[in-house]
Amino acid sequence: MKPDLFQAPDYYNLDDLLTEEHKLVRDSARAWVKREVSPIIEEYAQRAEFPSQIIKGLGEIGGFGPYIPEEYGGAGLDQISYGLIMQEIERGDSGVRSTSSVQSSLVMYPIWKFGTEQQRKKYLPKLATGEMMGCFGLTEPDFGSNPSGMVTNFKDMGDHYLLNGAKMWISNAPFADVAVVWAKNEEGRIHGLIVERGMEGFTTPETHNKWSLRASATGELIFDNVKVPKENLMPGKSGLGAPMMCLDSARYGIAWGAIGAAMDCYDTALRYSKERIQFDRPIAGFQLQQKKLAEMITEITKAQLLTWRLGVLRNEGKATTAQISMAKRNNVDMAINIAREARQMLGGMGITGEYSIMRHSMNLESVITYEGTHDIHLLITGADITGIPAFK
């Protein structure tokens, strides 16, 4: 088991832009990842198993709903702190960050924003500690980039709702205690329902044979005449805009998280290049290797500035969906390109589990697709700057 020697790059002294609280939150998360995630993650990824023993620790470092108010069990932190936590967790593994950001932005966020006070008090404190885990049901077998076409639906049966349909590619589904599910009512309006494990007709089969996010549990949500109590409907907001607000929060976290994966690949490649001797000198002394490293740190620095500014805008309530889309697309694209270049620098060693690069590279192939594909985010930016949607 190799020690975690990671040193975070900060080429433009961005720490000067952070508060002492930001740095304390980040450093606590970084130390936890080094201690609890790095030593075990390669083994769990090889086994395609989620390390459930880390859930309690994720809760302790603020990995679940850090911006949720303290009265509901959250840490009451700002958006930059949330981003920094996601950065550090994804530096460890994208699948672990998926577990964290789903819980935070796709389960706790909608209950906090759209739920009743009773729902907030019932679910949020337990979700914040990891005592209860959740998942988010939006994507369907036939509706991914076009979620408005969903067929999952519920009918008013008088004293309860009857829910039918299916969702797929759902992170945390196999072990989730609750699912925030988006479904259409009889008028075709989209609403959010809280579905609990144990409700008759609700099953969560696991998705196997993944070559990506192997240390994350993925599954389906199947609803076969599930009776959902009426008090489990979230009344605060309906329509597609409600789940899209959740995705804005999650995509913002991904924009920070991808930087963590990129930093880990860069740091690994930099250290390896100084140690690997070819033609009687370290490969760090060759022009092509320096070109790769220089381009990596440049792109990481640009992404760091992008997310920091976006975090300021989020704190001020000014960040737009299109701005968040730009950061998610840019930063994940940046990270996957750095992972590929770093893998080449390590040669054959780059594909082994002795180093993290190939695992990051495989994981990022999912991150570049989920919560809005690379191309869809380009079109969101295109529609924003031209005023002409190109989705149809």
Side-chain angles (χ1 to χ4, degrees), residues 247-248 251-252 255 306 310 319-332 371-374 376-382 384 391:
L247 288 170
D248 274 354
R251 290 163 176 170
Y252 168 75
L306 189 66
L310 186 60
T320 67
T321 293
Q323 288 170 333
I324 294 167
S325 278
M326 176 183 283
K328 191 270 185 184
R329 176 189 56 80
N330 178 83
N331 290 10
V332 179
E371 297 188 28
T373 68
H374 181 82
I376 286 292
H377 285 300
L378 276 171
L379 294 181
I380 290 172
T381 303
D384 192 50
F391 298 100

Side-chain angles (χ1 to χ4, degrees), residues 147-155 182-191 238-241:
S148 63
M150 70 173 65
V151 296
T152 299
N153 65 91
F154 64 98
K155 295 179 180 178
W182 302 94
K184 289 180 177 176
N185 65 9
E186 290 161 274
E187 288 75 45
R189 185 73 176 172
I190 295 171
H191 290 266
S238 64
L240 193 60

